[in-house]
């Protein structure tokens, strides 16, 4: 199996130690039926989400790059094996407990996110798509639009692969409505006109 780089962007909250322990335990408990999983963990804290994730991508040595946010964790003990074995093409979206059956539609780049959040993403570490460092609210949708433009539709791994840690600690909860609207406007200005 190819080596996988697990990029964990993190930030300071009163729960950071707990979240990281839970996530790292879910990684150390990963099993594989055939061969051991070759992985590296890249913990990064560089500032805004895009800059942090990009710093991790640039350090990654694995053939595959898996992004997982610090407050999320792998659900089954064979999650990494399933991600690797089912990886096709250049990028993959996996299911989560709040979206076990992600789907691609042509409305995703326009903000109708039926794929899930950042922790759903795995991509090849071969000329990977970097994140726009100006986005915070629409960072995943912008990534999906540009990944689709470069590679086409993602492969989909259905089922609960990651658990999403929803709560007040999430960075997106602290963003102002003005910032959210500015990012939506920026996203729409970058895309071809389309009625949705």
């Amino acid at each position: 199996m190819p080596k996988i780089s697990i990029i964990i962007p993190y930030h300071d909250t009163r729960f950071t130690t707990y979240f990281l322990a839970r996530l790292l335990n879910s990684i150390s408990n990963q099993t594989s039926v055939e061969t051991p999983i070759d992985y590296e963990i890249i913990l990064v804290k560089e500032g805004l989400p895009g800059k942090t994730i990009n710093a991790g991508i640039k350090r990654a040595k694995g053939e595959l790059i898996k992004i997982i946010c610090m407050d999320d964790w792998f659900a089954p003990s064979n999650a990494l094996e399933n991600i690797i074995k089912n990886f096709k093409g250049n990028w993959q979206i996996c299911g989560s407990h709040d979206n076990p059956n992600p789907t691609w539609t042509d409305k995703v780049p326009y903000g109708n996110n039926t794929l899930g959040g950042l922790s759903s993403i795995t991509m090849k570490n071969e000329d990977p798509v970097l994140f726009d460092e100006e986005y915070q609210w629409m960072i995943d949708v912008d990534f999906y639009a540009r990944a689709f433009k470069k590679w086409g539709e993602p492969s989909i791994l259905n089922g609960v692969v990651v658990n999403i840690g929803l709560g007040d600690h999430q960075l997106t909860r602290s963003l102002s409505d003005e910032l959210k609207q500015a990012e939506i406007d920026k996203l729409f200005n970058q895309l071809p006109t389309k009625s949705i």
Side-chain angles (χ1 to χ4, degrees), residues 28-125:
S28 66
N29 290 329
Q30 290 297 299
T31 60
S32 174
V33 173
E34 295 176 9
T35 58
I37 297 166
D38 186 11
Y39 66 86
E40 66 176 352
I41 296 171
I42 303 171
L43 277 163
V44 277
K45 177 185 172 189
E46 296 284 341
L48 293 177
K51 184 176 181 184
T52 297
I53 297 169
N54 288 344
I57 290 171
K58 291 171 185 175
R59 295 178 188 147
K61 303 279 193 270
E63 290 93 334
L64 299 178
I65 294 171
K66 172 71 186 128
I67 297 166
I68 188 160
C69 298
M70 72 168 190
D71 54 339
D72 302 337
W73 68 102
F74 292 105
S77 61
N78 64 345
L80 284 176
E81 180 183 41
N82 283 341
I83 289 168
I84 295 167
K85 282 182 154 186
N86 291 289
F87 190 90
K88 297 179 186 86
N90 291 294
W91 66 307
Q92 175 194 77
I93 297 295
C94 68
S96 60
H97 81 278
D98 63 338
N99 186 14
N101 298 303
T103 56
W104 173 268
T105 74
D106 61 357
K107 296 178 182 177
V108 169
Y110 295 87
N112 185 7
N113 186 355
T114 53
L115 294 179
L118 296 172
S119 294
S120 300
I121 301 168
T122 305
M123 64 178 150
K124 270 190 180 174
N125 190 10

Side-chain angles (χ1 to χ4, degrees), residues 113-187:
N113 186 355
T114 53
L115 294 179
L118 296 172
S119 294
S120 300
I121 301 168
T122 305
M123 64 178 150
K124 270 190 180 174
N125 190 10
E126 183 179 308
D127 191 23
V129 172
L130 295 177
F131 288 77
D132 185 319
E133 296 183 4
E134 293 181 15
Y135 280 109
Q136 296 179 69
W137 175 247
M138 300 299 285
I139 188 171
D140 47 3
V141 172
D142 172 71
F143 173 87
Y144 297 149
R146 290 183 301 104
F148 174 74
K149 185 176 181 182
K150 181 173 184 174
W151 293 322
E153 292 184 25
S155 64
I156 302 290
L157 177 57
N158 286 315
V160 181
V161 180
V162 294
N163 288 316
I164 306 299
L166 302 173
D168 292 337
H169 62 275
Q170 293 176 288
L171 280 177
T172 54
R173 301 276 176 123
S174 65
L175 302 177
S176 70
D177 290 340
E178 292 79 16
L179 186 144
K180 292 176 184 178
Q181 188 59 54
E183 290 195 6
I184 291 168
D185 293 344
K186 177 182 174 185
L187 181 74

